[in-house]
Amino acid sequence: MTAGLAAEEFQTRLSAVADATEHMLDALLSCAPLPGETYRPPRFLEAMRYASLGGGKRLRPFLMIETARLFGVEGDGVLRAAAALEMIHCYSLVHDDLPALDNDDLRRGRPTTHKAYDEATAILVGDGLLTYAFDVTADPATHADPTVRAALVLELARHAGLGGMVGGQVLDLEAEASSKPHTAEAVIKLQSMKTGALLHYAVMAGAIFAKADTTAQKALSNYGFAIGAAFQVADDILDVEADEEALGKRAGKDADRNKATLVAALGLDGARERRDRLAKDAMAALDQFPEGRKADILKEAAHFAVSRKS
Ligand code: GRG
């Protein structure tokens, strides 16, 4: 496959996965209560839908779905697991935008959830999405094998919680409040948790879902770590280089807030160099997959993670 063809196929697949994720989220966030639920409060459901529908690149669902597809596994089950992951991602964005955290007015080119509704609703929207993500992942409709479902739930909790995304957010807040300069080592660690953990889970969940063997899981884990790190350095660089309209959120805010970024720790050129090296590492981790196993599309995802404009 030529590089140009892979890029074109990547865009087609990304947009197909984004549409499928949108439809799955739309169906999951319908007003009909599930067995065991009592009632879904309409205004609150509308706010949960506002926070999760109609925007976003859907890169995490894409990585999960395409990783499972490497092993010939596709369908509604993996799409449900992917939509659940997107719910966790959307919850993190809603909470991250709150006045107590980043205090942002704009997300995905629209008012943030607490601006469109109110703060209490936005906090509860995050809680609702977080909880529902585990419901959807653990539901037998997601995978027939209970050991796979249990493994997905465990990995999701480990990547999203205390020692993963939430822990990374805590380190980020501590770094922001500190007057000491941010070392590259500290920034790399916090970014691997805050942003990298969900991207790593996306890849690992695809492998777990498809019951990939240990060697394949190891290679995919290396890919997941590298693409997660590359994605966040690219984000640090975009915050400096991109304009707000393209970003769909406020630009230049990292420097204003003494954020622990790799641009601050390494300078713009150093951050660019690291970004490009990580993208190469991510692609190299996939070299062990034979031709025809569709690894090219995941390689292209690494390229996208570092060349995107938003
Ligand atoms: C429990 C208070 C509380 C917080 C939850 C807020 C939080 C933990 C974690 C923050 C995680 C976070 C917002 C990391 C930033 C990651 C990042 C670069 C997000 C943007 O991802 P994209 O570009 O966004 O994939 P789209 O809009 O395309 O989905």
Side-chain angles (χ1 to χ4, degrees):
M1 197 182 290
T2 68
L5 199 60
E8 203 178 294
E9 194 187 333
F10 171 81
Q11 284 302 338
T12 308
R13 283 293 305 155
L14 182 63
S15 126
V17 167
D19 286 352
T21 305
E22 182 79 9
H23 284 120
M24 181 54 78
L25 286 168
D26 181 36
L28 291 167
L29 292 166
S30 75
C31 58
L34 293 170
E37 288 182 344
T38 307
Y39 174 66
R40 295 184 162 195
R43 180 178 179 272
F44 181 60
L45 180 65
E46 187 196 288
M48 283 177 75
R49 291 173 63 85
Y50 179 83
S52 42
L53 296 176
K57 296 178 285 299
R58 311 299 196 192
L59 182 62
R60 292 152 193 83
F62 177 87
L63 289 174
M64 194 191 299
I65 285 167
E66 291 303 322
T67 302
R69 234 161 62 90
L70 258 186
F71 304 94
V73 174
E74 43 195 327
D76 270 5
V78 69
L79 184 55
R80 287 172 58 89
L85 171 58
E86 185 68 13
M87 284 183 203
I88 302 256
H89 170 58
C90 293
Y91 120 75
S92 81
L93 300 180
V94 171
H95 278 191
D96 197 47
D97 291 335
L98 284 167
L101 288 151
D102 271 2
N103 192 19
D104 274 316
D105 297 349
L106 200 62
R107 169 70 66 183
R108 293 175 165 173
R110 294 185 307 184
T112 46
T113 304
H114 68 274
K115 286 283 170 192
Y117 291 83
D118 54 74
E119 260 181 70
T121 303
I123 291 168
L124 292 168
V125 159
D127 297 341
L129 289 171
L130 170 62
T131 314
Y132 197 25
F134 285 96
D135 176 326
V136 173
T137 307
D139 191 306
T142 297
H143 202 292
D145 185 341
T147 59
V148 169
R149 298 200 302 274
L152 291 173
V153 166
L154 182 63
E155 289 302 318
L156 184 54
R158 295 268 164 95
H159 283 84
L162 170 66
M165 180 184 74
V166 175
Q169 178 69 12
V170 171
L171 294 181
D172 201 17
L173 290 177
E174 286 175 1
E176 206 177 318
S178 156
S179 52
K180 290 193 207 133
H182 311 302
T183 66
E185 199 188 6
V187 177
I188 288 167
K189 181 175 168 186
L190 86 81
Q191 293 189 341
S192 75
M193 295 168 67
K194 186 180 90 160
T195 308
L198 284 200
L199 291 158
H200 185 255
Y201 170 77
V203 175
M204 294 319 290
I208 293 167
F209 198 97
K211 300 189 178 180
D213 65 30
T214 328
T215 313
Q217 287 208 20
K218 181 75 197 130
L220 287 164
S221 177
N222 291 338
Y223 168 77
F225 282 130
I227 196 172
F231 182 89
Q232 181 59 56
V233 196
D235 217 68
D236 292 353
I237 297 168
L238 274 175
D239 185 75
V240 179
E241 290 183 335
D243 62 54
E244 256 162 51
E245 204 177 315
L247 273 184
K249 61 183 181 183
R250 189 137 53 91
K253 61 184 183 179
D254 292 346
D256 291 353
R257 292 174 187 169
N258 188 34
K259 279 269 187 197
T261 71
L262 277 176
V263 172
L266 300 174
L268 199 48
D269 285 345
R272 283 195 193 115
E273 228 170 81
R274 184 172 161 77
R275 174 195 66 189
D276 297 344
R277 198 177 61 243
L278 284 163
K280 282 197 186 110
D281 289 350
M283 293 184 205
L286 298 172
D287 280 345
Q288 74 155 78
F289 292 101
E291 279 282 322
R293 292 200 85 182
K294 303 192 179 71
D296 279 2
I297 201 111
L298 288 177
K299 289 188 181 175
E300 199 52 41
H303 176 69
F304 171 78
V306 298
S307 58
R308 66 203 166 89
K309 299 283 173 259
S310 70

